[in-house]
Amino acid sequence: MLGTSNVLGFPILSTIASIPLLGALFIMFFIKKEDEELIRRASLATSILTFFASLILVFKFLRGTPDFQFVEKLTWIKSLGVSYFVGIDGMSLLLIILATVITFIGILSSWTAITQRVKEYYIFMLLLEVGMLGVFISLDVFLFYVFWEIMLVPMYFLIGIWGGERRLYAAIKFFLYTLCGSVLMLLGILTIYYQAGAQLGHYTFNMLEWYTVSIPQNTQWWVFLAFFVGFAVKVPMFPFHTWLPDAHVQAPTAGSVILAGVLLKMGTYGFARISMPLLPWATVKFVPFMVVLAIIGIIYGSLVAMVQKDMKKLVAYSSVAHLGFVMLGLYALNAQGITGGILQMINHGISTSGLFLCVGIIYERRHTRMISEFGGLSKQMPVFAVFYAIMTMSSLGLPGLNGFIGEFLILVGAFKANWMYAAWATTGIILGAGYLLWLFQRVMFGPLDNPKNEKLPDLSVREIFVMLPLVVWAFWIGLYPKPFIEILEPSVNHLVERINPPPQNVFRVGGVNMNAGTVYSVNAGSGHWSTGHGGGHGATSGGHGAEAGSSAVEHGAETTVPHGGGSHGGSH
Amino acid sequence: MLAYIWLIPLFPLLAFLANGFFGRKFIKHNAHAVSIVAILGSALFSTVAFIAVVRGATLHHNVYTWVFAGEFQASIGFQVDALTATMLMIVSIVATCVHIYSIGYMHGDDSYYRYFTYLSLFCFSMYMLVLANNYLMLYVFWEGVGLCSYLLIGFWFTNPAPPAAGKKAFLANRVGDFGFGLGVMMIFATLGTLDYSTVMANVPLISTSTATLITLLLFLGATGKSAQIPLYVWLPDAGEGPTPCSALIHAATMVTAGLYMIARSSALFNAAPFTLTLIATIGAMTALMAASIALVMKDIKKVLMYSTISQLGYMFLGLGSGNYTSGIFHLMTHAFFKALLFLGAGSVIHGMSGERNMFVMGGLKKHMPTTWWTMFAACVAIAGIPPFSGFWSKDEILASAFKSGNYIPWAMGCIAAFMTAFYMFRLLFLTFYGESRVDEHHMHHLHESPATMTRPMIFLAILALISGGVGISWPLENGFIHKFLGSVLANQHHGSLPVTLEFGLMGFSVLIAVAGILVAYLMYIKKSVSPEKVAGAMGPFYKLALNKYYVDEVYNFIFIRGLVLGGGKFLWDFDAIVLDGIVNGIRHLTIFIGNFSWNFDIWIVDGIVNGVREVILFVSYLSALVDGNIVDGLVNAVADGIGYLGKGYRKVQTGFVQNYMLIMALGFFVIIGAYFVIL
């Protein structure tokens, strides 16, 4: 079983999650609803405080272990085995930071956009943050489910109250879709609850204890499908994606930002946190199914994005494609794919939120999102053009920016799993450049021929500060992703070991070899190239430690592991 | 010894940041100073590095681990060897010339600072590209130079054409990158590393089929970046950008990245003979096809763009023939004379206030003497007139093609050489010679370009004339550049031809070049041959070439309109009709079932309930009726009957025993009587 620890000896996670809750309560009871400026400032202050509190996690987080940290555990409903059990690993840490940053940006971006029912709006924003953080810190599945459902409610109201003309349709569609998914997910959870209870001898919702249970294959098969629907709706994977464009188009800008930035990650997080480790057999079994859906999502989302007339809808469909990449990475079932997949969750949060903000900035000025209404804005809004261009490039995976790192690792992982996966998915990269550049060209370039656009003001200082964190983060991951990958590495390796997929990579010279089956020795004395990736884990953390100055040959040798150097599942 | 190498990309990076952040508000029209100081710094250190490499120094240094996961890792790191040093020199020389030239050319542009910002970013990316020590980093800056190309092509974004051309360039390159990316992944999947030196050292472990697949994928990337069939379509449109950047990016440096990559991987490509043959064939086909289009273009820049595609085709022919050095040699000479041609064309366009159509020029020689003679130098260099640079490098490529047995590509190369000489001198004659066809308005502004523009041209003209010297030697192919690059390029040696044949081929190519020039002379100076008549005689071929073989139209129809937009529209409809249809269907079904249930409730269940009620009521009614009339009646009747009987019997109840006895006897007899009657 995975270990747990709390180096701080202080309930830091609960503190972080309760700051926005307290902020919301404070606004609710102590600020009059006419005091709009104060409400904005209070919620902004709350979100900043939450962000800084979440930074403590980054500094105190122990690298190099897959164990859960900052753990708190209190009994809640004893008879059912429910406890208030929270803790994080590398994957949840990054998503928590993402959630706190995106909430801050969402609140700051709403400053002038939201003028109706301001008090309720910011209360809902803060409650949404509580729900998101709750999902990412829960280690008790019951608690997880509670937060999962709680999160739906503020989002529903954000779309339903502050949305566009068809907001009710969109809100109800969103709610029904995700609710249907949740019901199936609950069925899956209960199945495992009884299954695990029978095996453990006591009934519990403790996720870490569930990890130790081996569930019969037959059950795994069904539970996988139940979880699949629950999470796939959220991701959203083809063919459960049609709620997304409606929800995005109708939601207010900040709603879209949070929806794209964080809420969509709930689905992929669910796969990585619950479905994959609990159901390793079914995970391997369903790889072709999942990958095909992911690739369909990539190509489908891109092609549909290509023909959109509404900027926001275009970005919404691009999310379908990007999340397809994340799923492809996760189900490549190797260190590259999963690292890339998780990193791409963050990257998508950065770049797509950025694009939604850009659309929102234009929308606030012109109250239209139709692409045909624009053209030549670069002349009028040069600063905006720079930010928008950076976000476009980040989203289409230009090297040097964040998107590339995620996409490339995903594709490397997919290539190792099956080169056809990578070949199909790579077409999505061509298409991605197509729709994003075409959009940019139509909106920003060409003559400024619509008289309504002649007086558009460039970005205000506030808007620059909305965009700046995303730009900085995009470059940081793009140029120096090491800190992020390091945080993820132990959790990812642990996950790969748990699933223990069959050997991949038919191309590898030596071992499983497409050539002649001869085992070659590359670099004398260093042993053979490892075939599976199970063996590689132990050595890799040492491998990238050696940086400057190592000659190529040494470099190669360090990544080379003799056969049997790593033992599959030895840590269980 | 080469520890300062990081300074070379650092200078332009700093210039980029300075101009990017402060250009619009503060630096403004001094942006060139920042960028030029930077590029001079880079050029200086490039020269120092070049000299060090000539003396035998090399460098392989990882700066930091960039991306890693599991056993995958890639670094940001530098590698300096003869190939890098050669590229550094080419980039530095052309970039410096272009920077200085741009002062004059871009003078007065609204976005002067932006131009130099992009230019510095490009130089940074290009230096990093050639300094990279692994495939991932190569890929990164491969895309980086692509981005700069995108930005510079679309530089004048207020017109609709430049941004569209920029996007086209980016997308065509993305298609190539599809292959390049997969190739890089496959190298990793096969060898577990992306480091050049490790990959090359382990090439013997790879089977031919794997090597072929990898190299084909890499070559697809090269066809995008270096504008070969089938992905060359973006380069002609790239002329929408400012002309000096065309000289730097789309003639001398970026478009050669594909060649650089293949030369860098020469050992790997040697392991894949099929790919090499394909490269030679594609190169020759591109050389011929692009040259044939260049014959008929009217736009001076379009001629040069197609000429570039054609010349790049030659370089690929050289690589595909296994003589990597010849490809790089031609890359170098071409960088000088083609950059010069673009700068010259830019000077003409500058003088003509933006006019590009050669048919409204003519007689510019006396107005622009320096531009004329430098372009003339470039033309003799590219046409392959000995002893100028293009002759040596092109001839070596053709000889290599011949020696390696690629006879058909060789023949195509020869035909293209004829065309090259023709279209270059056609350009020269139409622009600078003959009667002036310039209208009043343009004539008024016509002037020789300022010294900032002509000096770099003069410098390049000298190089265009003499730079072939680095490859001249006896015996052949043993010059400085051959020895220098031979240490890092895995050239295949196909033996040497008999001296007479060697000289025969050389003489033949000179003959071809002279013939091309002569035909151009007859058509455009002497006018003894009418171009229209020739065009008419060529018939459909002329029309095809004039319309660029309709490749754009076909691509547009099949890929853009058909697959992408058509597919997108179809899938969107699929979303709206099928998927939402299902969701809505489920909704409607739910509503229907609800309604149905409701109706069922109302009509059936309630009906049954009501029916039962009715039945019960009816029954009750009946019962009531029956109760009232029948049951009650019966009861009453019985009662009445009994009462009536009672009344009758009362009379019988006399109280006298005798009467009772009589009745009993009567009864007895009745029963006995009945008994007998019935039985």
Side-chain angles (χ1 to χ4, degrees), chain B residues 342-361:
Chain B
F342 269 105
L343 294 187
S347 177
V348 169
I349 294 168
H350 193 69
M352 293 287 297
S353 318
E355 182 58 61
R356 293 189 198 168
N357 184 353
M358 296 186 295
F359 285 82
V360 299
M361 296 178 183

PDB file of all heavy atoms in Angstrom, chain B residues 342-361:
ATOM      1  N   PHE B 342      18.102  37.979 -54.473  1.00  0.00           N
ATOM      2  CA  PHE B 342      16.932  38.530 -53.788  1.00  0.00           C
ATOM      3  C   PHE B 342      17.176  39.981 -53.380  1.00  0.00           C
ATOM      4  O   PHE B 342      16.305  40.833 -53.524  1.00  0.00           O
ATOM      5  CB  PHE B 342      16.578  37.691 -52.559  1.00  0.00           C
ATOM      6  CG  PHE B 342      15.604  36.594 -52.863  1.00  0.00           C
ATOM      7  CD1 PHE B 342      16.013  35.279 -52.950  1.00  0.00           C
ATOM      8  CD2 PHE B 342      14.265  36.888 -53.091  1.00  0.00           C
ATOM      9  CE1 PHE B 342      15.110  34.266 -53.231  1.00  0.00           C
ATOM     10  CE2 PHE B 342      13.364  35.882 -53.379  1.00  0.00           C
ATOM     11  CZ  PHE B 342      13.781  34.574 -53.453  1.00  0.00           C
ATOM     12  N   LEU B 343      18.373  40.225 -52.868  1.00  0.00           N
ATOM     13  CA  LEU B 343      18.662  41.604 -52.475  1.00  0.00           C
ATOM     14  C   LEU B 343      18.618  42.510 -53.699  1.00  0.00           C
ATOM     15  O   LEU B 343      18.107  43.644 -53.642  1.00  0.00           O
ATOM     16  CB  LEU B 343      20.025  41.683 -51.780  1.00  0.00           C
ATOM     17  CG  LEU B 343      20.129  40.960 -50.442  1.00  0.00           C
ATOM     18  CD1 LEU B 343      21.470  41.244 -49.775  1.00  0.00           C
ATOM     19  CD2 LEU B 343      19.000  41.344 -49.500  1.00  0.00           C
ATOM     20  N   GLY B 344      19.129  42.008 -54.814  1.00  0.00           N
ATOM     21  CA  GLY B 344      19.077  42.779 -56.051  1.00  0.00           C
ATOM     22  C   GLY B 344      17.636  43.030 -56.477  1.00  0.00           C
ATOM     23  O   GLY B 344      17.252  44.153 -56.824  1.00  0.00           O
ATOM     24  N   ALA B 345      16.828  41.952 -56.414  1.00  0.00           N
ATOM     25  CA  ALA B 345      15.418  42.112 -56.768  1.00  0.00           C
ATOM     26  C   ALA B 345      14.764  43.110 -55.831  1.00  0.00           C
ATOM     27  O   ALA B 345      13.957  43.949 -56.254  1.00  0.00           O
ATOM     28  CB  ALA B 345      14.709  40.759 -56.697  1.00  0.00           C
ATOM     29  N   GLY B 346      15.153  43.030 -54.546  1.00  0.00           N
ATOM     30  CA  GLY B 346      14.604  43.974 -53.578  1.00  0.00           C
ATOM     31  C   GLY B 346      14.996  45.393 -53.945  1.00  0.00           C
ATOM     32  O   GLY B 346      14.181  46.322 -53.878  1.00  0.00           O
ATOM     33  N   SER B 347      16.224  45.545 -54.378  1.00  0.00           N
ATOM     34  CA  SER B 347      16.699  46.867 -54.779  1.00  0.00           C
ATOM     35  C   SER B 347      15.877  47.378 -55.968  1.00  0.00           C
ATOM     36  O   SER B 347      15.482  48.552 -56.014  1.00  0.00           O
ATOM     37  CB  SER B 347      18.182  46.769 -55.134  1.00  0.00           C
ATOM     38  OG  SER B 347      18.671  47.983 -55.581  1.00  0.00           O
ATOM     39  N   VAL B 348      15.617  46.488 -56.920  1.00  0.00           N
ATOM     40  CA  VAL B 348      14.804  46.863 -58.081  1.00  0.00           C
ATOM     41  C   VAL B 348      13.397  47.241 -57.626  1.00  0.00           C
ATOM     42  O   VAL B 348      12.853  48.285 -58.022  1.00  0.00           O
ATOM     43  CB  VAL B 348      14.757  45.698 -59.095  1.00  0.00           C
ATOM     44  CG1 VAL B 348      13.708  45.973 -60.167  1.00  0.00           C
ATOM     45  CG2 VAL B 348      16.121  45.476 -59.713  1.00  0.00           C
ATOM     46  N   ILE B 349      12.817  46.397 -56.784  1.00  0.00           N
ATOM     47  CA  ILE B 349      11.447  46.654 -56.323  1.00  0.00           C
ATOM     48  C   ILE B 349      11.406  47.971 -55.539  1.00  0.00           C
ATOM     49  O   ILE B 349      10.487  48.764 -55.679  1.00  0.00           O
ATOM     50  CB  ILE B 349      10.946  45.473 -55.448  1.00  0.00           C
ATOM     51  CG1 ILE B 349      10.825  44.206 -56.289  1.00  0.00           C
ATOM     52  CG2 ILE B 349       9.608  45.798 -54.804  1.00  0.00           C
ATOM     53  CD1 ILE B 349      10.631  42.938 -55.484  1.00  0.00           C
ATOM     54  N   HIS B 350      12.442  48.180 -54.733  1.00  0.00           N
ATOM     55  CA  HIS B 350      12.553  49.410 -53.960  1.00  0.00           C
ATOM     56  C   HIS B 350      12.593  50.607 -54.904  1.00  0.00           C
ATOM     57  O   HIS B 350      11.867  51.591 -54.727  1.00  0.00           O
ATOM     58  CB  HIS B 350      13.830  49.341 -53.126  1.00  0.00           C
ATOM     59  CG  HIS B 350      13.925  50.382 -52.063  1.00  0.00           C
ATOM     60  ND1 HIS B 350      13.114  50.388 -50.961  1.00  0.00           N
ATOM     61  CD2 HIS B 350      14.750  51.452 -51.932  1.00  0.00           C
ATOM     62  CE1 HIS B 350      13.432  51.415 -50.186  1.00  0.00           C
ATOM     63  NE2 HIS B 350      14.423  52.083 -50.763  1.00  0.00           N
ATOM     64  N   GLY B 351      13.428  50.481 -55.928  1.00  0.00           N
ATOM     65  CA  GLY B 351      13.550  51.561 -56.896  1.00  0.00           C
ATOM     66  C   GLY B 351      12.269  51.776 -57.682  1.00  0.00           C
ATOM     67  O   GLY B 351      11.929  52.897 -58.066  1.00  0.00           O
ATOM     68  N   MET B 352      11.559  50.701 -57.944  1.00  0.00           N
ATOM     69  CA  MET B 352      10.326  50.762 -58.736  1.00  0.00           C
ATOM     70  C   MET B 352       9.093  50.994 -57.865  1.00  0.00           C
ATOM     71  O   MET B 352       7.975  50.738 -58.315  1.00  0.00           O
ATOM     72  CB  MET B 352      10.137  49.455 -59.515  1.00  0.00           C
ATOM     73  CG  MET B 352      11.162  49.193 -60.600  1.00  0.00           C
ATOM     74  SD  MET B 352      10.920  50.262 -62.035  1.00  0.00           S
ATOM     75  CE  MET B 352       9.302  49.743 -62.595  1.00  0.00           C
ATOM     76  N   SER B 353       9.291  51.407 -56.644  1.00  0.00           N
ATOM     77  CA  SER B 353       8.187  51.699 -55.705  1.00  0.00           C
ATOM     78  C   SER B 353       7.242  50.527 -55.531  1.00  0.00           C
ATOM     79  O   SER B 353       6.023  50.668 -55.572  1.00  0.00           O
ATOM     80  CB  SER B 353       7.376  52.916 -56.161  1.00  0.00           C
ATOM     81  OG  SER B 353       8.217  53.925 -56.612  1.00  0.00           O
ATOM     82  N   GLY B 354       7.815  49.342 -55.413  1.00  0.00           N
ATOM     83  CA  GLY B 354       6.971  48.185 -55.084  1.00  0.00           C
ATOM     84  C   GLY B 354       6.536  47.365 -56.278  1.00  0.00           C
ATOM     85  O   GLY B 354       5.910  46.326 -56.114  1.00  0.00           O
ATOM     86  N   GLU B 355       6.862  47.814 -57.492  1.00  0.00           N
ATOM     87  CA  GLU B 355       6.441  47.053 -58.681  1.00  0.00           C
ATOM     88  C   GLU B 355       7.290  45.793 -58.815  1.00  0.00           C
ATOM     89  O   GLU B 355       8.491  45.819 -58.640  1.00  0.00           O
ATOM     90  CB  GLU B 355       6.612  47.929 -59.928  1.00  0.00           C
ATOM     91  CG  GLU B 355       6.166  47.278 -61.219  1.00  0.00           C
ATOM     92  CD  GLU B 355       4.712  46.852 -61.178  1.00  0.00           C
ATOM     93  OE1 GLU B 355       3.845  47.718 -61.008  1.00  0.00           O
ATOM     94  OE2 GLU B 355       4.445  45.626 -61.284  1.00  0.00           O
ATOM     95  N   ARG B 356       6.618  44.667 -59.133  1.00  0.00           N
ATOM     96  CA  ARG B 356       7.366  43.410 -59.246  1.00  0.00           C
ATOM     97  C   ARG B 356       7.309  42.800 -60.638  1.00  0.00           C
ATOM     98  O   ARG B 356       8.000  41.836 -60.919  1.00  0.00           O
ATOM     99  CB  ARG B 356       6.798  42.384 -58.275  1.00  0.00           C
ATOM    100  CG  ARG B 356       6.995  42.711 -56.826  1.00  0.00           C
ATOM    101  CD  ARG B 356       6.573  41.493 -56.075  1.00  0.00           C
ATOM    102  NE  ARG B 356       6.303  41.781 -54.681  1.00  0.00           N
ATOM    103  CZ  ARG B 356       5.700  40.903 -53.888  1.00  0.00           C
ATOM    104  NH1 ARG B 356       5.308  39.742 -54.363  1.00  0.00           N
ATOM    105  NH2 ARG B 356       5.480  41.204 -52.629  1.00  0.00           N
ATOM    106  N   ASN B 357       6.440  43.304 -61.467  1.00  0.00           N
ATOM    107  CA  ASN B 357       6.256  42.707 -62.780  1.00  0.00           C
ATOM    108  C   ASN B 357       7.402  43.127 -63.704  1.00  0.00           C
ATOM    109  O   ASN B 357       7.571  44.305 -64.020  1.00  0.00           O
ATOM    110  CB  ASN B 357       4.910  43.165 -63.346  1.00  0.00           C
ATOM    111  CG  ASN B 357       4.605  42.497 -64.666  1.00  0.00           C
ATOM    112  OD1 ASN B 357       5.442  41.791 -65.233  1.00  0.00           O
ATOM    113  ND2 ASN B 357       3.394  42.723 -65.156  1.00  0.00           N
ATOM    114  N   MET B 358       8.181  42.143 -64.183  1.00  0.00           N
ATOM    115  CA  MET B 358       9.353  42.451 -64.993  1.00  0.00           C
ATOM    116  C   MET B 358       8.970  43.045 -66.342  1.00  0.00           C
ATOM    117  O   MET B 358       9.779  43.687 -66.993  1.00  0.00           O
ATOM    118  CB  MET B 358      10.159  41.177 -65.229  1.00  0.00           C
ATOM    119  CG  MET B 358      10.732  40.590 -63.966  1.00  0.00           C
ATOM    120  SD  MET B 358      11.808  39.209 -64.299  1.00  0.00           S
ATOM    121  CE  MET B 358      10.688  38.016 -64.990  1.00  0.00           C
ATOM    122  N   PHE B 359       7.725  42.814 -66.765  1.00  0.00           N
ATOM    123  CA  PHE B 359       7.326  43.292 -68.081  1.00  0.00           C
ATOM    124  C   PHE B 359       7.012  44.779 -68.098  1.00  0.00           C
ATOM    125  O   PHE B 359       6.768  45.344 -69.143  1.00  0.00           O
ATOM    126  CB  PHE B 359       6.149  42.454 -68.613  1.00  0.00           C
ATOM    127  CG  PHE B 359       6.606  41.102 -69.083  1.00  0.00           C
ATOM    128  CD1 PHE B 359       6.794  40.060 -68.192  1.00  0.00           C
ATOM    129  CD2 PHE B 359       6.899  40.893 -70.421  1.00  0.00           C
ATOM    130  CE1 PHE B 359       7.249  38.834 -68.615  1.00  0.00           C
ATOM    131  CE2 PHE B 359       7.353  39.658 -70.857  1.00  0.00           C
ATOM    132  CZ  PHE B 359       7.528  38.623 -69.953  1.00  0.00           C
ATOM    133  N   VAL B 360       6.980  45.404 -66.932  1.00  0.00           N
ATOM    134  CA  VAL B 360       6.877  46.859 -66.918  1.00  0.00           C
ATOM    135  C   VAL B 360       8.191  47.479 -66.440  1.00  0.00           C
ATOM    136  O   VAL B 360       8.224  48.605 -65.985  1.00  0.00           O
ATOM    137  CB  VAL B 360       5.701  47.363 -66.066  1.00  0.00           C
ATOM    138  CG1 VAL B 360       4.392  46.842 -66.607  1.00  0.00           C
ATOM    139  CG2 VAL B 360       5.868  46.952 -64.613  1.00  0.00           C
ATOM    140  N   MET B 361       9.273  46.742 -66.557  1.00  0.00           N
ATOM    141  CA  MET B 361      10.588  47.289 -66.210  1.00  0.00           C
ATOM    142  C   MET B 361      11.370  47.533 -67.492  1.00  0.00           C
ATOM    143  O   MET B 361      10.856  48.118 -68.430  1.00  0.00           O
ATOM    144  CB  MET B 361      11.319  46.345 -65.266  1.00  0.00           C
ATOM    145  CG  MET B 361      10.604  46.191 -63.933  1.00  0.00           C
ATOM    146  SD  MET B 361      11.434  45.034 -62.867  1.00  0.00           S
ATOM    147  CE  MET B 361      10.333  45.003 -61.482  1.00  0.00           C
TER     148      MET B 361
END
